[in-house]
Amino acid sequence: MLKLDIQLFAVPFRKTSKTSKRTRRTHYKISENGTTTCPKCGAVVRPHRVCKECGTYKGKEVIKKEEA
């Protein structure tokens, strides 16, 4: 007897419309990164990171910046 190695896949009965696809994909959004302001200089900084403008983190100077 001859044995065939065939795989059968599920085939959709109807074409999925553009509206159905797009309503299903409404949750696939890109969200912007959360930001806070530096308490010392007021620059926009991502949370839990050293401020690039003044070099402080949690009120302490971590990186020494030269004033120009």
Side-chain angles (χ1 to χ4, degrees):
M1 181 157 221
L2 184 64
K3 185 176 180 182
L4 297 175
D5 205 16
I6 299 173
Q7 292 180 339
L8 298 175
F9 297 101
V11 179
F13 187 70
R14 293 190 192 278
K15 178 183 175 181
T16 307
S17 67
K18 292 177 185 176
T19 308
S20 295
K21 277 192 285 192
R22 290 171 184 167
T23 53
R24 185 176 65 243
R25 294 174 183 171
T26 57
H27 308 291
Y28 299 166
K29 298 174 190 166
I30 296 174
S31 61
E32 64 182 48
N33 294 329
T35 55
T36 58
T37 55
C38 177
K40 186 174 179 185
C41 66
V44 178
V45 182
R46 292 193 59 201
H48 308 289
R49 284 165 178 80
V50 177
C51 178
K52 292 181 181 178
E53 301 297 322
C54 61
T56 59
Y57 179 70
K58 290 189 176 180
K60 298 176 185 173
E61 188 176 352
V62 180
I63 301 171
K64 296 198 180 205
K65 294 276 186 174
E66 293 182 11
E67 304 266 337

